[in-house]
Amino acid sequence: MNLNALSYSDLTELRSLAERVARDAGTHVRNLREKGVTVAAAKSSPVDIVTLGDQAAEQIIVAELRDWRHSDAILGEEGTNRAGASGITWILDPIDGTTNYFYNQPNYCVSVAACVADTSYSEGYRAVAGAVYVPTSAELFSAAAGLGATLNGKKLRINEAAPLSESLIATGFGYSAKKRARQAEVLLEVLPRVRDIRRSGSAAYDLCALAAGRLDAYYEAGLKVWDYAAAELIAREAGATVTGAAAAGVISSKPGTPLLIAGPAETVKALQPLLPALK
Ligand code: IPD
Ligand code: CA
């Protein structure tokens, strides 16, 4: 399956389904949060937690997708890995920003993307439709390939490129202490050269915020495919260039896990030499 095999109505149907399931799961986790939060487990490190809300949201999304699209594959952060025969893989982050959810901070969201295989991305998937729902603000970001990106139905456009020194840049940090130490070193190079740095705690939200002009650019090393699948499409459809490391001495120049950089083409070009992909 590739993008060209999908019709306008295929794309709009996939987008509507992504919107519906992201909203349903997001509403559920917000309601759950009002009753408190329960940590179900720690994952890659003691600070990388999964709550009952993450698990419940993934179950809701998987059940709805299976009802509507039983021959699609599904890959979810909390362990879903179902094969499918249609060529579409749904990639889910049931709560992106779990630490914010745990502390009852508002920046968490549900991310749902319908993807096709694409070797120009480091994880080999590219979203053709997707939605990110922020339940605390009832903001629904969505996009379909070639059809633009919207926030609650209103068209999104990134900011015009500004000099790096006047650009507001978002980034994030992984969960391993070793990676964080390297990410802090990179930040030492970036921070003196930009307007300021933001760290929202949700990669999916950061990419949507870029799409909405709330930031000028975003970069992060070490993302997982579910962190960026839907929101990367939303940012790109709002006009962002999305790429990986610079060409010389790279681990991979494809956007994705070693490094993802997004923003206006000129800003991405100015940021690239400052950002080595971190292993
Ligand atoms: C995390 C968030 C965070 C980013 C981390 C991700 P999670 O996802 O997106 O902003 O910096 O790299 O792992 O754990 O909240 O789903
Ligand atoms: Ca995530």
Side-chain angles (χ1 to χ4, degrees):
M1 167 76 70
N2 64 31
L3 176 56
N4 297 334
L6 295 166
S7 66
Y8 175 85
S9 73
D10 291 332
L11 291 170
T12 54
E13 274 170 33
L14 292 167
R15 182 180 59 195
S16 301
L17 183 56
E19 289 172 343
R20 169 142 37 110
V21 299
R23 200 191 262 123
D24 288 350
T27 305
H28 182 75
V29 294
R30 185 176 185 192
N31 291 340
L32 261 186
R33 187 66 190 76
E34 277 164 20
K35 296 180 198 140
V37 66
T38 308
V39 174
K43 299 194 286 185
S44 61
S45 85
V47 290
D48 181 10
I49 52 170
V50 54
T51 71
L52 292 184
D54 296 78
Q55 294 174 337
E58 184 149 318
Q59 279 169 17
I60 289 172
I61 300 166
V62 171
E64 290 191 27
L65 291 177
R66 283 177 66 177
D67 280 352
W68 292 93
R69 306 272 315 180
H70 46 85
S71 61
D72 294 352
I74 312 179
L75 184 64
E77 175 167 16
E78 304 315 336
T80 305
N81 194 350
R82 278 172 58 89
S86 67
I88 297 285
T89 300
W90 291 89
I91 299 188
L92 334 168
D93 197 335
I95 301 182
D96 188 51
T98 301
T99 307
N100 288 339
Y101 184 72
F102 181 60
Y103 283 90
N104 213 8
Q105 293 224 26
N107 274 331
Y108 61 86
C109 52
V110 178
S111 169
V112 179
C115 302
V116 295
D118 188 328
T119 54
S120 59
Y121 281 71
S122 62
E123 278 64 53
Y125 293 104
R126 180 196 194 99
V128 291
V132 171
Y133 183 61
V134 187
T136 49
S137 55
E139 289 188 312
L140 180 66
F141 296 87
S142 66
L147 305 181
T150 57
L151 164 53
N152 292 346
K154 207 171 152 229
K155 201 118 188 126
L156 293 175
R157 185 74 207 162
I158 61 164
N159 293 337
E160 294 292 321
L164 204 51
S165 57
E166 290 164 31
S167 295
L168 185 63
I169 311 292
T171 190
F173 310 114
Y175 289 112
S176 109
K178 193 170 156 217
K179 278 191 191 148
R180 285 180 171 184
R182 284 286 296 123
Q183 286 169 332
E185 282 170 22
V186 172
L187 197 54
L188 282 181
E189 295 299 314
V190 177
L191 184 53
R193 293 179 165 86
V194 300
R195 183 189 291 277
D196 207 344
I197 288 286
R198 293 290 179 270
R199 195 291 193 253
S200 79
S202 162
Y205 175 76
D206 286 335
L207 283 159
C208 291
L210 167 68
R214 297 173 188 173
L215 298 168
D216 295 306
Y218 163 76
Y219 76 89
E220 187 163 343
L223 291 173
K224 298 287 196 313
V225 64
W226 38 75
D227 298 320
Y228 70 81
E232 176 276 333
L233 174 68
I234 292 165
R236 207 156 26 82
E237 286 294 325
T241 293
V242 181
T243 186
V250 295
I251 298 167
S252 165
S253 59
K254 297 176 182 183
T257 296
L259 183 63
L260 186 144
I261 315 170
E266 299 88 327
T267 314
V268 167
K269 212 169 158 206
L271 274 172
Q272 263 184 327
L274 304 174
L275 303 176
L278 306 178
K279 273 189 198 162

